[in-house]
Amino acid sequence: MRVAAQLRTSWRDPLQVLSAFAGEPWAIAFLSGGQGPRARWSYLARRPDAVLTMRGDDGREPFRALAELLGPLGETGRDGPPFQGGLAGLASYELGDRVEPLGLARGPDWPDLAVGLYSSVLAFDHERRQVIAVGRGYDEADSEQAAFEAMSWLQDLPRPATRGPLTEGLAASDPAAYETAVAEVVARIHAGEIFQANIARRWAGRLAAGVTPFDLLARLAGQSAAPFAAYLRLAGLAVVSNSPERFIQVDADGGAETRPIKGTRPRGATEADDAGMRGELAASLKDRAENLMIVDLMRNDLARVCAPGSVKAPELFAVESFTNVHHLVSTVRGRLAAGKTAIDLLRAAFPPGSITGAPKVQAMKVIAGLETARGPYCGSLFWAGVGGAFDSSVLIRTAACVQDEQGWRIEARAGAGIVADSEPRAERIETEDKIAALLRALEAGA
């Protein structure tokens, strides 16, 4: 699909548009929240031309399969969105077992990889307040037809929002067991096995009768919009993510970026309390050290496929504020080496260092001994454009939904980065701060 066509129209709310087809298998959304310099574009896609699904027993090399599905890079329309058709989908955490074979356990529900090839995309430009229907094909007529197909989605009738609680509540894993796990990791750090590991707690329950995963996405967007929110519907499965964290991004010229998050404080009840929390996080030597370890890890990951000398960390320890928490965020940038692509970078960096630890491989072994299979949690929802651009999230603040005869089961996790001076109770409270927005969306009325 080397030819692109674009049609432009007036602004529509992407969530309203998505609501009409959110229940279709392979419907996918990337929702920026529309605030800040990294939140200009949102995307919707449906009805892929081809799909790639790989489970743990699939012997194919996944990154080669991704490159083959995407095909050779093609032209992109001028003055258009970064994503103008291509691949979009899910890389579950256990895909990391294909990068470094560790024998990670898999659950029965989630594939390692589930990706579609989309020739029709709706792009929502929050800055210019317009919608661009993008189509790709093998000739001009083919591309225009694909663009008209995307434009037709705007005519579908939106679904009304669901009111009231979305669930009767989620049950949290045992807090004492989590604190014991934290203490074990601290001991292993002091023994020299690792420097840091991200250990998560689990919340699980059911959506209320008649409630769908999209209802949770819409509720989160209204209560606590996030810059890397995303949604994927598969047959009997759905991922609902309200992530604040970018994994890796590549622009069409080969510039690469990652923005790892490490360091958290809750929002204050008053402006003075909130400012105090921000200041405490900014000044915390523990959180800076934790953040810097992951910056060094991500610099190493990028350096595997970037030009020598191009990998830099232009911004360290920036405090960014979200609905429930403040986070410490750093930026690492590089430039892909000649002959390397965004898919090469995905392989070099997956799974994200901010949710594994350092050294990454040994931290993953520690995690595997303390947690069940993560599935989507701490994986990524990503798109890979036909023009070479790429963007992806870290799937934190994320719900994994599985459909059965009774409706929808739902699971969510929240983790904390454990270092040498971590205190188990404080780390457990941090997980509760991180999950709070998701629980509020599920348990409170609209």
Side-chain angles (χ1 to χ4, degrees), residues 69-436:
L69 182 61
L70 180 60
L73 299 184
E75 67 176 41
T76 53
R78 298 180 60 185
D79 193 31
F83 182 44
Q84 298 185 25
L87 304 182
L90 168 70
S92 292
Y93 175 83
E94 283 73 29
L95 182 66
D97 203 33
R98 308 295 195 100
V99 177
E100 188 72 36
L102 299 174
L104 298 182
R106 270 79 163 179
D109 300 311
W110 293 97
D112 287 0
L113 192 64
V115 178
L117 176 66
Y118 296 87
S119 58
S120 300
V121 175
L122 282 178
F124 297 77
D125 187 342
H126 293 265
E127 182 178 294
R128 296 183 180 178
R129 305 296 288 177
Q130 64 178 359
V131 181
I132 304 172
V134 181
R136 301 199 65 83
Y138 295 100
D139 55 36
E140 187 173 338
D142 204 24
S143 298
E144 288 181 354
Q145 179 59 40
F148 278 116
E149 166 69 14
M151 187 68 77
S152 74
W153 305 342
L154 299 172
Q155 307 306 313
D156 293 348
L157 293 177
R159 177 177 173 272
T162 296
R163 300 194 174 277
L166 303 181
T167 178
E168 296 179 358
L170 300 189
S173 60
D174 180 20
Y178 181 76
E179 292 184 18
T180 298
V182 171
E184 178 183 332
V185 173
V186 170
R188 294 169 79 163
I189 291 170
H190 283 290
E193 180 180 348
I194 53 174
F195 301 114
Q196 179 183 156
N198 189 285
I199 305 300
R201 291 178 67 195
R202 179 177 180 267
W203 282 257
R206 302 194 70 89
L207 295 181
V211 172
T212 70
F214 173 79
D215 293 320
L216 175 57
L217 180 76
R219 184 74 58 82
L220 286 166
Q223 293 181 352
S224 56
F228 296 98
Y231 172 86
L232 174 64
R233 182 70 155 84
L234 300 171
L237 301 170
V239 180
V240 178
S241 181
N242 204 43
S243 176
E245 184 172 2
R246 166 172 283 153
F247 176 29
I248 50 176
Q249 179 194 43
V250 177
D251 63 34
D253 296 322
E257 178 183 277
T258 183
R259 303 188 75 250
I261 288 176
K262 273 295 166 196
T264 304
R265 291 293 185 280
R267 298 298 301 264
T270 66
E271 287 188 15
D273 288 344
D274 202 48
M277 288 294 184
R278 284 181 60 92
E280 180 183 306
L281 179 59
S284 169
L285 295 179
K286 172 185 177 293
D287 288 293
R288 283 174 171 249
E290 183 180 339
N291 190 286
L292 187 60
M293 276 190 274
I294 302 305
V295 168
D296 286 343
L297 188 157
M298 296 306 298
R299 287 178 64 180
N300 180 68
D301 284 351
L302 263 66
R304 295 177 185 178
V305 294
C306 285
S310 71
V311 178
K312 311 286 184 185
E315 185 178 31
L316 294 173
F317 316 136
V319 178
E320 296 189 2
S321 300
F322 302 89
T323 302
N324 285 307
V325 294
H326 304 291
H327 279 313
L328 212 57
V329 186
S330 293
T331 302
V332 181
R333 294 194 181 115
R335 181 160 297 280
L336 294 181
K340 296 297 183 180
T341 69
I343 292 175
D344 293 320
L345 178 56
L346 177 65
R347 188 188 193 285
F350 196 85
S354 64
I355 48 70
T356 50
K360 182 190 283 188
V361 171
Q362 190 59 33
M364 290 176 67
K365 293 179 181 178
V366 171
I367 292 166
L370 295 170
E371 296 184 30
T372 57
R374 285 179 163 183
Y377 176 68
C378 292
S380 181
L381 282 173
F382 67 92
W383 58 257
V386 293
F390 180 97
D391 209 353
S392 56
S393 66
V394 179
L395 287 179
I396 55 175
R397 318 296 193 269
T398 294
C401 306
V402 179
Q403 195 171 29
D404 59 23
E405 293 180 355
Q406 287 75 47
W408 287 95
R409 291 185 281 114
I410 181 171
E411 176 187 296
R413 303 191 194 196
I418 312 305
V419 292
D421 53 354
S422 285
E423 196 279 312
R425 181 176 181 275
E427 301 294 355
R428 188 256 302 166
I429 291 171
E430 181 176 318
T431 68
E432 293 163 2
D433 291 336
K434 289 175 175 177
I435 201 73

